[in-house]
Amino acid sequence: MRNRRLGRLGVAAALMGLLAACGEQAIVSEVMLVQAVGFDASEKGEATVAMVPHYKKDGEADIELLRADSLSHFDMIPRMNAKADGALEYGQLGFALFGEAFAKKGVGEVLDSFCKDPKIATRMMLAVTEGTAAETMERAKRHKESAYMTDMAAQNVRSGNLPSANLHLLLFSYFGEGRDMYMPYFRLKDGEPEIAGTALFRGDRLAGRIGFRDSFLLKLLVEDGKNGSLLIPVRVGTGDRERRYVAVQTIRSKAKYEVKRLRPVPSVAIRVEVEALARKTPGGIDLASVEALERLEREGAAYIEREIEALLAYCKERRVDPAGLGDRVRSRDRRWNERDFQASYPSVRTDVSVDLRIFQTGVGE
């Protein structure tokens, strides 16, 4: 019995050796690992820029940007290889940035090529930038960190107001029916890249963008979120002149959808449950008082309801559906048709209710 097991192990080891020998191999010191790529519109068609780090012994890296113009991004690698002193490999590609003009023309072909390439990880981040991707990446290059923008987007998803938006989720929204995709939106401020909110798409084309506050509201609608922050206006005295703000941070949220009516125009009820910490309260508000706390929860819930309704109204006006209302209706309607829903989408009725619970941990002024 023991000899049989040893024999089987020997055969397995031999097969693994053969399989490894058959695979395509590359020596790390002889290749250039592309870790971020940018796409811009150009007179020739498309302009592509790739960010490649050259690591030193002390752990720091010199960042090189390779550029190529062509009619299509499909020959990006061959054209850039002609300018590189090593073969380009993109198995570690973790970030793709679209210039605003490129995104308005459509990013569908790029997404198609990404999803069909086994070397591309579905956890990679994608984003849109104001202006051109080349300029934004040129400014990010100064930080000598190839994952600078990747890490910025990831931490704003993990600990900030941005909803999750990796390649896996984008492809789900892009190829799925009744929903539209969204990505982080960058801009340059004082010459430095920063995240300014979320880019909204209709199909594969950029159709609008929202700021940080609305990104938080979108996050409440599309995922069970935490760590997002919001300023809630409260009245300390009488009259709007006394209005101040309480800073809250979510610790748990959940959105529940119920399709109330299918025809002639769909109606959807949205209930959002939010638990939050009061990080900072203005003078004149004592959250140790049950009455003051309940008043803050009522006013805060009403404020979030109004802002979510305003966000949904903006999305209907732009004919973008990042919250996936169409998908909710489709799941209840056997006769659902995407073209018919899109025609009625601006008139879809939404009734938003928010249940807000606030816990005090902050320091009053």
Side-chain angles (χ1 to χ4, degrees), residues 334-349:
R334 294 182 178 180
R335 293 187 293 163
W336 188 86
N337 176 280
E338 187 165 15
R339 180 179 297 178
D340 293 341
F341 178 81
Q342 288 297 328
S344 64
Y345 176 60
S347 302
V348 169
R349 179 182 176 84

Side-chain angles (χ1 to χ4, degrees), residues 62-337:
D62 289 331
I63 306 298
E64 182 180 4
L65 294 180
L66 300 175
R67 294 177 171 82
D69 289 346
S70 65
L71 295 175
S72 171
H73 67 278
F74 291 110
D75 62 346
M76 169 186 72
I77 296 296
R79 286 180 177 272
M80 289 186 177
N81 266 326
K83 303 178 181 181
D85 56 3
L88 293 177
E89 293 287 345
Y90 52 99
Q92 288 192 1
L93 182 62
F95 186 73
L97 185 65
F98 301 107
E100 192 163 353
F102 184 93
K104 287 180 178 179
K105 290 185 176 181
V107 301
E109 288 189 356
V110 177
L111 294 180
D112 287 340
S113 63
F114 280 168
C115 74
K116 294 174 183 177
D117 194 326
K119 292 183 179 181
I120 302 296
T122 55
R123 65 179 180 272
M124 75 174 290
M125 300 287 294
L126 296 91
V128 176
T129 183
E130 184 179 63
T132 66
E135 183 180 6
T136 302
M137 292 175 69
E138 184 68 44
R139 300 301 179 92
K141 171 186 172 183
R142 302 175 183 177
H143 293 269
K144 297 186 178 296
E145 175 55 60
S146 57
Y148 177 72
M149 287 187 292
T150 312
D151 293 342
M152 186 186 302
Q155 74 89 8
N156 273 277
V157 168
R158 183 175 58 253
S159 305
N161 283 11
L162 293 187
S164 301
N166 57 31
L167 178 60
H168 172 76
L169 296 174
L170 291 175
L171 293 177
F172 175 74
S173 296
Y174 177 58
F175 288 110
E177 292 183 305
R179 58 178 61 242
D180 287 310
M181 61 183 178
Y182 46 84
M183 306 178 191
Y185 185 86
F186 280 81
R187 69 179 178 187
L188 292 177
K189 185 175 181 179
D190 299 327
E192 291 292 329
E194 70 169 17
I195 293 178
T198 302
L200 306 177
F201 283 76
R202 184 190 312 121
D204 71 334
R205 298 188 177 189
L206 178 66
R209 64 182 179 92
I210 55 178
F212 259 113
R213 184 198 59 181
D214 286 343
S215 295
F216 168 79
L217 301 174
L218 178 59
K219 191 171 187 175
L220 293 179
L221 292 174
V222 298
E223 62 186 68
D224 298 341
K226 59 181 181 179
N227 294 330
S229 59
L230 183 69
L231 291 176
I232 296 178
V234 293
R235 291 173 297 178
V236 176
T238 57
D240 290 340
R241 294 182 180 180
E242 298 294 329
R243 190 176 296 274
R244 299 186 186 180
Y245 294 88
V246 174
V248 299
Q249 180 180 7
T250 57
I251 55 177
R252 189 192 74 85
S253 70
K254 186 176 185 62
K256 299 178 181 179
Y257 293 79
E258 183 181 358
V259 178
K260 293 289 190 178
R261 185 180 67 237
L262 294 175
R263 292 177 179 81
V265 177
S267 174
V268 182
I270 307 171
R271 178 176 173 81
V272 182
E273 299 173 357
V274 183
E275 294 181 359
L277 301 176
R279 288 299 187 186
K280 188 175 181 181
T281 58
I285 297 180
D286 180 15
L287 295 186
S289 165
V290 175
E291 181 181 356
L293 179 59
E294 290 179 348
R295 178 182 175 185
L296 174 60
E297 289 175 339
R298 287 195 306 271
E299 293 187 4
Y303 173 73
I304 295 174
E305 288 172 4
R306 292 193 302 270
E307 295 305 308
I308 288 179
E309 289 283 15
L311 170 62
L312 292 174
Y314 172 80
C315 291
K316 294 173 190 176
E317 178 186 349
R318 293 280 179 167
R319 293 184 176 274
V320 297
D321 189 8
L325 297 181
D327 194 19
R328 314 281 180 181
V329 175
R330 181 186 63 85
S331 67
R332 296 287 305 278
D333 187 1
R334 294 182 178 180
R335 293 187 293 163
W336 188 86
N337 176 280

Side-chain angles (χ1 to χ4, degrees), residues 24-39:
E24 184 178 352
Q25 298 182 8
I27 301 174
V28 174
S29 60
E30 296 179 358
V31 299
M32 301 174 68
L33 301 175
V34 178
Q35 297 199 352
V37 64
F39 299 92

